[in-house]
Amino acid sequence: MNNQQQKRTLAVETLLVHAGNVRHNVDSTALAIYPSTSYMADSPEQLDEIMAGTTEGFSYSRHANPTVEGLTQAMAQLEGAGTVIATASGMAAIDAALFAASLAPGDTILLSRDLYGASLNLAGKVWGQFGVKSFMEDFTNLEQLQATLEKLRPKVLLFEVLSNPLLKVVDVSAVIAMAHQVNCQVIVDSTFTTPLMIRPLALGADMVIHSATKYLGGHGDAMGGIVAAHERYKEALQQYIKLRGGILGPFEAWLIHRGLQTLAVRFERQCENAWQLASKLDKSGLLKTVYHPFLPNHPTFATAKRYLPSHLGGAVVTLELFGGRKAAYTFLKSLRVVRSATTIGDVYTLCLYPVLASHRNQSEAERLEMGITEGTLRIAVGLEHPDDLFVDLIQAIEKAAQAN
Ligand SMILES: Cc1ncc(COP(=O)(O)O)c(C=O)c1O
């Protein structure tokens, strides 16, 4: 009997939606992508248990998705976390962490002064609308921080281990201990440091966030965020994804999980490339300042040596040209291998001009107070050969000097 003669038991419309929708019980080596938005339980009783959270399983992808769970389980092990959620972006992860901290009107968030600009705005503008106050402090000045903590008694403290773009290293354990003394919860943004450089939960932090868009994904093709937290935040974080709904999609989760599998080799090479560039550029005498945590003239050199693994000083180098904006523009236009783009963590080396991008909302006086001048440029080092990067940077620096 050929296909024409075969009698259909169901109408073509029914077949079109159901045919081929087979469920395989296979053991694939790679994480599978499940784009399904909903899942069938074996029985109404089982569905009831899944919905109640008494049985593990899936019902609806905003609540839980098997591919996303592959990523969150990996991150829980990497960060030593009791609970992990994956969000649509790093910003959503910070928002989720602030939500899980149970902030109420009148509460205070204390932020490190050189935090990512959008994080400062999220706290100040978005949470500010709900009556939450936010203040900034220099987290590398422990004496001043102690006094501010005692005065403000904040409910939450949020900082990055490596500051952006000047790469100051915070004394994480000391800050956590000081915060806990005044009953303040600690959220660490470990985007620049990855779980390879530091594991803040093991040092006592309450929550860790990552922009997975950066090193975790690593290829500049997926946006995502991670909150890794102590078990006590599980309910609040689940509520955030179920009710606010800023979840990570399965395709992005798959890409970020695949990125994680090569994170160690990528990040170690990127850190090595960054260190080679930093030390050679520092010796070149062609720059006003070169910032890298392991350069002995860096203001937080001693803390960096204490906290960071000796081969992982981060994959970012920041340069200060002798000239101002004109020199910086010439530098950016002269780059041939390095790409001018705003992010970090990709396989390509990327250069960001803070005055135009990350710090464009700060006044010049505010930037100068942070140490960012019109000649400051951030290089997020990729996987190219470091000699090609050095040659490219030197020729751009020389052209910038002529434009000055
Ligand atoms: C340190 C840091 N945290 C958070 C974010 C926000 O992440 P996303 O762009 O994935 O929302 C960024 C983005 O640049 C960042 O650099």
Side-chain angles (χ1 to χ4, degrees), residues 9 20 32 51 156 261 295 340 376 400:
T9 52
M51 296 298 272
V156 172
Q261 293 175 316
L295 284 174
S340 174
T376 305

Side-chain angles (χ1 to χ4, degrees), residues 89-92 94 116 119 160 164 189 191-192 209 211-214 223-224 344:
S89 67
M91 289 314 299
I94 299 173
Y116 176 56
S119 309
E160 290 161 35
N164 177 22
D189 181 338
T191 299
F192 274 55
I209 79 95
S211 165
T213 316
K214 310 294 190 303
M223 304 268 325
I344 59 162

Side-chain angles (χ1 to χ4, degrees), residues 195-237:
L196 291 166
M197 276 171 83
I198 199 160
R199 292 169 81 229
L201 295 176
L203 300 177
D206 298 284
M207 289 185 252
V208 176
I209 79 95
H210 290 274
S211 165
T213 316
K214 310 294 190 303
Y215 295 104
L216 306 187
H219 294 74
D221 53 13
M223 304 268 325
I226 293 289
V227 184
H230 191 278
E231 175 81 25
R232 64 181 168 275
Y233 294 101
K234 185 170 183 173
E235 214 180 305
L237 290 171

Side-chain angles (χ1 to χ4, degrees), residues 151-223:
K151 188 171 134 215
L152 297 176
R153 301 253 152 192
K155 191 156 183 181
V156 172
L157 201 132
L158 171 60
F159 67 96
E160 290 161 35
V161 183
L162 263 184
S163 79
N164 177 22
L166 302 183
L167 311 172
K168 285 192 250 165
V169 181
V170 170
D171 185 338
V172 183
S173 298
V175 169
I176 292 171
M178 278 160 55
H180 284 171
Q181 260 176 12
V182 293
N183 274 332
C184 171
Q185 300 161 91
V186 177
I187 304 172
V188 178
D189 181 338
S190 197
T191 299
F192 274 55
T193 28
T194 80
L196 291 166
M197 276 171 83
I198 199 160
R199 292 169 81 229
L201 295 176
L203 300 177
D206 298 284
M207 289 185 252
V208 176
I209 79 95
H210 290 274
S211 165
T213 316
K214 310 294 190 303
Y215 295 104
L216 306 187
H219 294 74
D221 53 13
M223 304 268 325

Side-chain angles (χ1 to χ4, degrees), residues 92-344:
I94 299 173
D95 193 45
L98 293 175
F99 173 88
S102 303
L103 287 164
D107 286 339
T108 298
I109 312 174
L110 187 60
L111 309 147
S112 57
R113 198 173 293 283
D114 37 22
L115 204 64
Y116 176 56
S119 309
L120 294 175
N121 287 338
L122 172 70
K125 294 188 178 156
V126 179
W127 283 87
Q129 279 181 348
F130 302 110
V132 172
K133 294 172 276 181
S134 63
F135 295 91
M136 293 183 291
E137 188 51 274
D138 176 356
F139 279 41
T140 57
N141 184 336
L142 292 181
E143 224 169 281
Q144 204 170 298
L145 182 66
Q146 175 85 51
T148 307
L149 279 169
E150 277 163 18
K151 188 171 134 215
L152 297 176
R153 301 253 152 192
K155 191 156 183 181
V156 172
L157 201 132
L158 171 60
F159 67 96
E160 290 161 35
V161 183
L162 263 184
S163 79
N164 177 22
L166 302 183
L167 311 172
K168 285 192 250 165
V169 181
V170 170
D171 185 338
V172 183
S173 298
V175 169
I176 292 171
M178 278 160 55
H180 284 171
Q181 260 176 12
V182 293
N183 274 332
C184 171
Q185 300 161 91
V186 177
I187 304 172
V188 178
D189 181 338
S190 197
T191 299
F192 274 55
T193 28
T194 80
L196 291 166
M197 276 171 83
I198 199 160
R199 292 169 81 229
L201 295 176
L203 300 177
D206 298 284
M207 289 185 252
V208 176
I209 79 95
H210 290 274
S211 165
T213 316
K214 310 294 190 303
Y215 295 104
L216 306 187
H219 294 74
D221 53 13
M223 304 268 325
I226 293 289
V227 184
H230 191 278
E231 175 81 25
R232 64 181 168 275
Y233 294 101
K234 185 170 183 173
E235 214 180 305
L237 290 171
Q238 286 303 318
Q239 197 178 36
Y240 183 90
I241 56 167
K242 286 181 183 170
L243 301 183
R244 291 213 166 161
I247 52 156
L248 188 68
F251 293 105
E252 281 77 11
W254 188 85
L255 282 169
I256 294 166
H257 178 268
R258 193 173 68 161
L260 272 188
Q261 293 175 316
T262 56
L263 177 66
V265 277
R266 279 187 290 108
F267 193 63
E268 281 172 20
R269 175 64 71 86
Q270 284 168 306
C271 287
E272 171 58 25
N273 283 355
W275 171 241
Q276 281 199 34
L277 281 178
S279 37
K280 279 171 138 182
L281 290 169
D282 193 44
K283 283 189 201 111
S284 76
L286 294 172
L287 292 155
K288 203 163 173 186
T289 324
V290 177
Y291 294 90
H292 183 286
F294 288 165
L295 284 174
N297 60 355
H298 191 285
T300 59
F301 175 70
T303 317
K305 279 284 169 194
R306 197 145 53 83
Y307 273 99
L308 309 182
S310 58
H311 64 304
L312 301 176
V316 178
V317 184
T318 298
L319 320 173
E320 193 185 358
L321 299 171
F322 276 110
R325 193 178 284 243
K326 199 170 157 206
Y329 276 24
T330 307
F331 175 86
L332 288 167
K333 287 180 193 166
S334 307
L335 293 170
R336 296 287 169 262
V337 179
V338 176
R339 298 178 180 191
S340 174
T342 55
T343 192
I344 59 162

Side-chain angles (χ1 to χ4, degrees), residues 362-383:
Q362 272 88 23
S363 67
E364 194 175 353
E366 283 170 329
R367 283 197 298 262
L368 285 175
E369 208 190 312
M370 291 178 191
I372 300 166
T373 71
E374 300 233 310
T376 305
L377 292 139
R378 186 191 76 189
I379 314 288
V381 182
L383 291 173

